[in-house]
Amino acid sequence: MSSASSAEALGLLERFWGYTSLRPLQEEAIDAVLGGRDSLVVLPTGGGKSLCYQLPALLRPGLAVVVSPLISLMKDQVDTLVGNGIAAACYNSAMGEDERASVVAGLREQRYRLLYVSPERLVGTGGERFLAMLQSARVRFLAVDEAHCISQWGHDFRPEYRQLGRARDAFPGASLHAFTATATGRVRRDIIEQLGLRDAVELVGPFDRANLTYRVLPRAGFRRQVDELLARHRGEAGIIYCTSRKEVDGLAASLHDAGHRVRPYHAGLSDDARNRNQDAFLDEDVDLVVATVAFGMGIDRSDVRFVLHAGAPRSLEHYQQESGRAGRDGLEAECVLVYSGADFLRWRMMLENAGEFTDASRTSLRDMERYASGVTCRHRHLVQYFGETYTKERCGACDVCLGELEPVPDAVTVARKVLSCVARVDQRFGASHVAAVLRGKPSEQLSARGHDLLSTFGLLKDASIAEVRGYIEQISVQGYLRPTDDVYPVLRLTQSGLDLLRNPGAGDVQLVRPRQAPKGGGSRRGAERERDGETWQGVDRDLFDRLRALRHEIARARHVPPYVIFHDTTLREMARQRPSSLSDLRHIYGVGERKALELGSQFLAVIQGQE
Ligand code: ADP
Ligand code: ZN
């Protein structure tokens, strides 16, 4: 950017958004738009992609057309822009006749800087008429959001996206800009090809999401695992992904009974119930959503503090996308994967039944398994998977680097104990039974079958039940055991399992377990608490809660989600700095000119304790 337009850009950024600097690659991305050069921008969720086309739309005359896959997303974006004093509109099938006519009139008068539309609007039936109407609106560029929807390699394939390249032919002078958070090379190539980007600038951002803490737990005592997580996030927003509708309903009901503010979400609910539950979450009427992966696209709530997966997704692309809904506001958040060996088997069966168990999906599934059973830094693992190098030695934000796991000494011997126990019970029992035998606590169930007399009874008596279950999962994922695909899966030995049982040198097993006693004085979550401490330092939490309540009230009156009013980051900053005048308030991160004028006095009143 020339220094003149750079200064102008920063001026607009401060005035309309209340931000003081651009983030990595935003300047380059804005440059590409201003220069009329096609571009593909890959930035992680929360990286600030929207600004890359919103700011240039203000810097130059003409209209920016933004293609967005979901009507609810569009609406929130437009509400946010309008709330900041920027002339923006959307045009979609959810709007009434009158509303649409008024937008068309506005377009003719060149009243808007940004117009949000669905892909169908441009390329579906009637698309031509719509494009013709847009001719008079001086379209300067097209921005395609969530551009990975164009690719079958992505996680949300939308066939209409494939025809978007054609839409630009209607505007010969306009440039085309694609944005996505999916970084894999094959998706990138697909986007460039399918959209017909010309001589595109490719900008691939720093991929790591440093504010997320990743943890992986073998499934053992799942409900307790959920409760531990919830205890760390009391009153905070979270999403729990389950693999079946039944599990969603069961867990949602039981959390509700335990006093949590929670709603279920899955494709088996009526449209009405689904929308109501989603809105309750977006509007902060509830904290938790228990959902199948049907829940997600269009979830713009930025203060999601944790995402729990009760079961492994089918690829790291999916995991990345789904877990990435945590911490979009840049504040610390937690992503926990609870997995079991049975997850992978279930995916395999499902993909096979659908005729989709291709080489690609097999590879994806194996990569997901590697992540789950891996014992290297999770941030490093993800960053490298998506083709970048990770330079930090320790991320300080994953179970491995936080020292929450430790390698099990002599893992091969432990594994062989497990395998021999599976053999002793004739490969006819599931993981919990095998674990019970190995721990050797006498019970009626065991003695009824004579399993308390087995030589493997009590072989791992010093380990906790969660630990032993963990070993079984890890051994399964590493290919020595295979659970059957029954309602109550039974553990079977694989060929490698048999080999290892016969010959301790036949395999290289690695096992980890939760670290027992904290080493070197640092408490288990010490490093993490330090990170939390930083972002909460000096924040008056009571005040923060009162500001949140005010935000909730205003949002409700305006029929928009609370994050459209202010982000948590902004409220925390207010509760830290306690501004006492409108001009002080204008210096708070995320408070632009319009918001200060419209909402400033209400927030100041709460800060000064007059309310
Ligand atoms: P993405 O679409 O890449 O997931 P968003 O565009 O929603 O991310 O941006 C995430 C958040 O970061 C938004 O609240 C946005 O306003 C904020 N943001 C974007 N750019 C900046 C910036 N330069 N400085 C401060 N905050 C920013
Ligand atoms: Zn790490």
Side-chain angles (χ1 to χ4, degrees), residues 377-378 395 398 401:
C377 172
R378 314 282 178 199
C395 72
C398 80
C401 295

Side-chain angles (χ1 to χ4, degrees), residues 13 17-23 26 43-54 77 80 145-146 181 300 302 328-330 567 569 589:
L13 184 68
W17 282 273
Y19 301 149
T20 47
S21 58
L22 289 170
R23 290 206 182 137
Q26 280 182 331
L43 279 177
T45 311
K49 290 183 281 297
S50 329
L51 209 74
C52 301
Y53 51 82
Q54 291 170 345
Q77 291 246 5
T80 305
D145 208 358
E146 312 284 355
D300 236 3
S302 60
R328 297 179 60 124
D329 53 11
H567 286 295
T569 337
Y589 169 92

Side-chain angles (χ1 to χ4, degrees), residues 214 376-380 390 393-402:
Y214 294 102
T376 53
C377 172
R378 314 282 178 199
H379 281 269
R380 173 184 298 272
Y390 191 74
E393 189 54 47
R394 276 168 173 278
C395 72
C398 80
D399 49 0
V400 178
C401 295
L402 289 169

Side-chain angles (χ1 to χ4, degrees), residues 98-291:
D98 290 355
E99 224 180 332
R100 280 199 270 181
S102 128
V103 170
V104 169
L107 287 167
R108 295 227 159 89
E109 290 164 21
Q110 300 177 355
R111 215 189 304 145
Y112 304 116
R113 311 309 293 260
L114 295 120
L115 175 74
Y116 282 73
V117 294
S118 62
E120 294 83 353
R121 184 53 52 196
L122 297 182
V123 298
T125 32
E128 252 133 66
R129 232 182 38 214
F130 189 74
L131 288 175
M133 186 272 294
L134 278 182
Q135 304 276 325
S136 61
R138 284 203 298 165
V139 174
R140 183 158 191 112
F141 66 87
L142 283 105
V144 180
D145 208 358
E146 312 284 355
H148 58 270
C149 291
I150 215 166
S151 172
Q152 275 169 333
W153 292 103
H155 35 75
D156 292 307
F157 179 49
R158 297 268 301 248
E160 320 80 72
Y161 261 72
R162 298 235 143 171
Q163 298 157 44
L164 280 176
R166 284 209 323 254
R168 97 122 118 214
D169 298 341
F171 315 103
S175 53
L176 187 50
H177 308 277
F179 299 85
T180 178
T182 305
T184 51
R186 56 194 186 193
V187 174
R188 249 149 59 192
R189 283 191 297 279
D190 230 12
I191 293 173
I192 292 179
E193 206 167 291
Q194 301 284 340
L195 274 182
L197 296 184
R198 299 170 195 153
D199 181 27
V201 188
E202 265 190 87
L203 298 168
V204 181
F207 177 76
D208 187 39
R209 297 199 50 203
N211 62 315
L212 302 184
T213 297
Y214 294 102
R215 296 195 161 90
V216 179
L217 300 168
R219 188 165 172 136
F222 176 62
R223 189 47 211 278
R224 185 184 45 77
Q225 292 174 318
V226 173
D227 286 342
E228 278 178 13
L229 178 66
L230 292 179
R232 290 204 286 277
H233 298 280
R234 217 171 285 284
E236 297 180 339
I239 304 173
I240 302 177
Y241 284 114
C242 298
T243 41
S244 73
R245 296 174 190 180
K246 219 175 101 207
E247 198 177 13
V248 167
D249 288 332
L251 184 59
S254 122
L255 290 174
H256 179 265
D257 292 345
H260 294 283
R261 304 198 307 159
V262 56
R263 294 284 174 89
Y265 188 102
H266 58 66
L269 297 171
S270 68
D271 284 356
D272 199 38
R274 269 208 318 270
N275 288 336
R276 242 183 302 123
N277 292 353
Q278 170 163 331
D279 286 345
F281 182 68
L282 294 181
D283 296 343
E284 296 183 6
D285 293 331
V286 300
D287 303 318
L288 307 176
V289 168
V290 183

